Amino acid sequence: AQRVTQPEKLLSVFKGAPVELKCNYSYSGSPELFWYVQYSRQRLQLLLRHISRESIKGFTADLNKGETSFHLKKPFAQEEDSAMYYCARPFEAGNNRKLIWGLGTSLAVNP
Amino acid sequence: GAGVSQTPSNKVTEKGKYVELRCDPISGHTALYWYRQSLGQGPEFLIYFQGTGAADDSGLPNDRFFAVRPEGSVSTLKIQRTERGDSAVYLCASSLTSNYEQFFGPGTRLTVL
């Protein structure tokens, strides 16, 4: 079965420190990976996807097929980055692109 | 424009009761997904609609759960004979077509006492 693993439930860093949120996926051809973020009292929103190779809010994520990883990184964390982060990938069956999710990592950026 | 909306935002019910959860997708979005998120877990897929039809309902946990989307827009998730284990946040997402980004609603928090 396709899986997405986020090994850390909670990550706590100080403002200005680098942050890396880990995500590993089960191997399956050419995967497509996403990072979603949920700020306090807000809805889930897409942060970035590996296809676009964008940097959003200073975050980047590189797909490493050898390690089957898609870790989310930011060189200098800010307090407003405190949120719940989910790694996800679509499980494609025909036109259905239902998302398979990790358990999420709660990031706390301390002043 | 308006995003995905879900009503009610909170629903408290008693074990054995019937509940309906509503999702209003973004106008023009043909694909609609329901997910369920239990405490401390990531979202789990329930059902996918393409237009009016349920193209994949493999995530529905049992036959107490049913969802409809009769006009290809609003969807209703229906749960019969609710159980305490049904308590969770029910999320709805829509996308322009299945290949596009999924936009999420705020969720409905269901509590079964």
Side-chain angles (χ1 to χ4, degrees), chain A residues 9 32 36 38 42-46 49 86 91-104, chain B residues 3-5 33 35 37 40-45 48 50 56 58 91 98-102 104-106:
Chain A
K9 294 218 72 159
E32 186 177 353
Y36 278 80
Q38 187 169 27
Q42 295 187 27
R43 61 188 68 191
L44 273 167
Q45 56 185 285
L46 181 65
R49 60 178 76 187
Y86 294 94
F91 177 87
E92 297 192 48
N95 289 327
N96 181 2
R97 285 168 56 83
K98 59 189 177 186
L99 293 172
I100 308 300
W101 302 77
L103 293 180
Chain B
V4 178
S5 62
Y33 300 81
Y35 297 88
Q37 186 170 20
Q41 305 291 316
E44 292 181 299
F45 169 77
Y48 157 66
Q50 180 58 46
D56 181 353
S58 62
L91 297 168
S98 59
N99 287 330
Y100 286 79
E101 175 186 348
Q102 293 181 28
F104 282 81

Side-chain angles (χ1 to χ4, degrees), chain A residues 4 23 32-36 86-90 99-102:
Chain A
V4 175
C23 172
E32 186 177 353
L33 274 299
F34 303 99
W35 276 100
Y36 278 80
Y86 294 94
C87 184
R89 64 176 297 181
L99 293 172
I100 308 300
W101 302 77

Side-chain angles (χ1 to χ4, degrees), chain B residues 4 7 12 14 24-25 28-29 44 47 51 55-57 62 66 68 71 84 89 96-97 99 103 105 107 110 112:
Chain B
V4 178
T7 54
V12 180
E14 294 179 341
D24 278 89
H29 281 196
E44 292 181 299
I47 187 169
D56 181 353
D57 64 358
N62 52 59
F66 189 71
V68 295
E71 298 178 356
R84 293 194 180 88
V89 176
L96 187 60
T97 69
N99 287 330
F103 291 86
L110 176 65
V112 182

Side-chain angles (χ1 to χ4, degrees), chain A residues 49-109:
Chain A
R49 60 178 76 187
H50 91 276
I51 287 179
S52 61
R53 304 182 69 81
E54 295 175 292
S55 172
I56 305 294
K57 299 184 179 183
F59 284 96
T60 59
D62 290 318
L63 184 64
N64 185 322
K65 293 184 179 181
E67 296 182 357
T68 61
S69 69
F70 188 56
H71 301 330
L72 184 68
K73 301 177 183 180
K74 184 169 183 176
F76 306 103
Q78 303 299 314
E79 290 180 67
E80 57 265 29
D81 296 327
S82 296
M84 197 74 188
Y85 291 81
Y86 294 94
C87 184
R89 64 176 297 181
F91 177 87
E92 297 192 48
N95 289 327
N96 181 2
R97 285 168 56 83
K98 59 189 177 186
L99 293 172
I100 308 300
W101 302 77
L103 293 180
T105 298
S106 177
L107 174 64
V109 181

